[in-house]
Amino acid sequence: VEAGATNCQFRLAARPEGLPGRDCWEMTEEAPREPADGEALVKVLQLSLDPAMRGWMNDVPSYVPPVGIGEVMRAIGVGQVVESKHERLAEGDFVTGLFGIQEYATLPGDALTPIDADLAPLATYLNVLGVPGMTAYFGLLDIGKPQPGETVVVSGAAGAVGATVGQIAKLKGCRAVGIAGGPEKCQMLVEDFGFDAAIDYKNDELLPALREKCPERVNVYFDNVGGEVLDAVLARLARKARIVICGAVSQYNESSMRGPSNYMALLVRRARMEGFVVFDYADRYAEAAREMGGWMAEGKLKGSEDIVAGIETFPDTLLKLFRGENTGKLILEVASA
Ligand SMILES: NC(=O)c1ccc[n+]([C@@H]2O[C@H](COP(=O)([O-])OP(=O)(O)OC[C@H]3O[C@@H](n4cnc5c(N)ncnc54)[C@H](OP(=O)(O)O)[C@@H]3O)[C@@H](O)[C@H]2O)c1
């Protein structure tokens, strides 16, 4: 690192009520920490902004501990090693890891995963070949178990996870129907991502639209949003349907979560609803990345990224997720390689 380099960081200053405003964050600056034996110092290039971050800001037990007040906000990113005291890593290597919202991260080398920047653009490692892609792959295939000819509905369809779910559903011979906010996103799903149909939950009436777009009912529903959309799809299930609970972004900023009221549809349709956490599949990521990388190379799967430059924009950029202002994977660009 250049002498005098500073590490700009965003720390959690207060727990939010509702949408996380600027008062939730404190911007701090300190010198990048020299790596100790076994560690590497990474220059952060791109950071993944995720709806899950909203949950990590709450002081409640979850699948990971909450971010503590005063701690650097947790975030996954891609970066480049600038100094290494780890035998496996060398200066210039591209890596992915849990860097946090900051310009430099000093981490144990064992917590860094090398990535091949010649194989795919860096952002792909935060999208299709990263956590969103793994989430789509294992959530759909392992929990949803789509069969050829079945109808797969996915909400949050124009987002990182959703767009990949729809494309994998098509690859598996299913009818793919996406639910997203606004006519532009819906048009993109059909024209660019090959969905069979799309429903604009902000302008269409959900029940008639689901009847029209899913004439054979819904065999797999991959739910990213919860709330009213979940209730509407429950009303259109096929017998033995599988509902994959991936997330509930419509509820993350509410003081109390609204559960499905239509759950007796599970009984009537002999259906099953099951949640999952992608990290449980970590030992199978390489296998999934190989298959998805193959589909990308064949032009059968593509990602789209919404890249916003400037670490200082973090508080406002994060809100794009909850206002539906992102299309594809939302990424904060901190520096260029
Ligand atoms: N289970 C797991 O292991 C796991 C792992 C990763 C992600 N997830 C979950 O997967 C879901 C998608 O994550 P992502 O990273 O792909 O985010 P994303 O879909 O790229 O971005 C969030 C999108 O959610 C939609 N949205 C926001 N507020 C909404 C509301 N009130 N009602 C309906 N839709 C709303 C917006 O799209 P519109 O414009 O269409 O409204 C927005 O673009 C999230 O629920 C996330 O928590 C789960």
Side-chain angles (χ1 to χ4, degrees):
V1 207
E2 319 83 74
T6 55
N7 180 20
C8 168
Q9 308 168 311
F10 276 91
R11 293 173 184 273
L12 185 63
R15 300 208 181 273
E17 276 172 38
L19 280 176
R22 286 180 155 260
D23 53 335
C24 292
W25 307 109
E26 186 194 4
M27 205 176 103
T28 53
E29 277 189 347
E30 59 183 40
R33 184 170 70 72
E34 287 293 315
D37 279 346
E39 289 187 329
L41 171 60
V42 177
K43 181 178 183 185
V44 177
L45 301 174
Q46 296 182 348
L47 291 167
S48 170
L49 300 192
D50 296 278
M53 288 174 155
R54 179 62 186 81
W56 303 339
M57 296 172 77
N58 292 335
D59 193 13
V60 291
S62 182
Y63 58 95
V64 287
V67 175
I69 298 290
E71 281 177 20
V72 174
M73 182 60 192
R74 180 184 295 139
I76 293 174
V78 290
Q80 198 166 18
V81 173
V82 286
E83 200 179 330
S84 173
K85 289 192 179 149
H86 187 273
E87 53 188 15
R88 203 169 37 81
L89 296 167
E91 192 183 323
D93 286 357
F94 289 98
V95 289
T96 172
L98 211 49
F99 299 150
I101 305 290
Q102 55 183 346
E103 291 177 291
Y104 291 93
T106 309
L107 290 169
D110 293 340
L112 300 170
T113 308
I115 54 176
D116 186 347
D118 296 327
L119 205 64
L122 289 177
T124 304
Y125 292 97
L126 297 180
N127 190 11
V128 178
L129 297 180
V131 171
M134 299 300 131
T135 303
Y137 184 94
F138 291 108
L140 180 64
L141 299 181
D142 209 61
I143 312 287
K145 296 191 169 66
Q147 303 302 310
E150 288 191 332
T151 296
V152 174
V153 173
V154 57
S155 54
V161 174
T164 301
V165 168
Q167 293 177 85
I168 298 176
K170 288 303 296 174
L171 277 158
K172 296 292 172 185
C174 298
R175 174 177 172 78
V177 178
I179 304 179
E184 294 82 11
K185 287 187 178 184
C186 286
Q187 189 179 352
M188 184 192 78
L189 291 177
V190 174
E191 290 178 4
D192 298 344
F193 288 103
F195 283 63
D196 294 285
I199 296 172
D200 173 359
Y201 76 93
K202 289 185 177 165
N203 295 292
D204 296 341
E205 267 196 76
L206 280 172
L207 291 175
L210 282 162
R211 271 198 298 275
E212 184 195 329
K213 307 285 163 74
C214 307
E216 315 257 350
R217 295 186 161 266
V218 178
N219 304 101
V220 179
Y221 174 47
F222 192 106
D223 187 25
N224 286 315
V225 308
E228 280 172 24
V229 177
L230 172 56
D231 265 330
V233 182
L234 281 169
R236 192 66 191 154
L237 294 182
R239 197 174 170 120
K240 287 280 179 191
R242 287 83 66 200
I243 297 146
V244 183
I245 301 297
C246 176
V249 66
S250 76
Q251 304 299 304
Y252 293 170
N253 292 290
E254 301 298 322
S255 50
S256 65
M257 286 225 179
R258 166 194 189 285
S261 58
N262 227 348
Y263 74 94
M264 283 303 280
L266 299 177
L267 180 152
V268 176
R269 299 289 166 194
R270 287 82 160 169
R272 178 167 58 79
M273 185 143 117
E274 184 175 345
F276 76 103
V277 174
V278 67
F279 305 131
D280 295 345
Y281 293 92
D283 59 353
R284 292 175 58 196
Y285 285 176
E287 163 202 329
R290 260 195 308 280
E291 184 161 28
M292 303 236 280
W295 288 334
M296 288 187 99
E298 292 169 39
K300 292 178 179 162
L301 174 64
K302 61 182 176 183
S304 94
E305 289 95 27
D306 189 334
I307 301 182
V308 180
I311 193 169
E312 70 285 353
T313 71
F314 166 66
D316 297 326
T317 303
L318 178 65
L319 295 181
K320 288 181 72 165
L321 291 168
F322 306 112
R323 294 181 174 144
E325 290 169 2
N326 67 305
T327 300
K329 174 66 214 160
L330 183 62
I331 290 174
L332 187 66
E333 187 170 72
V334 176
S336 45

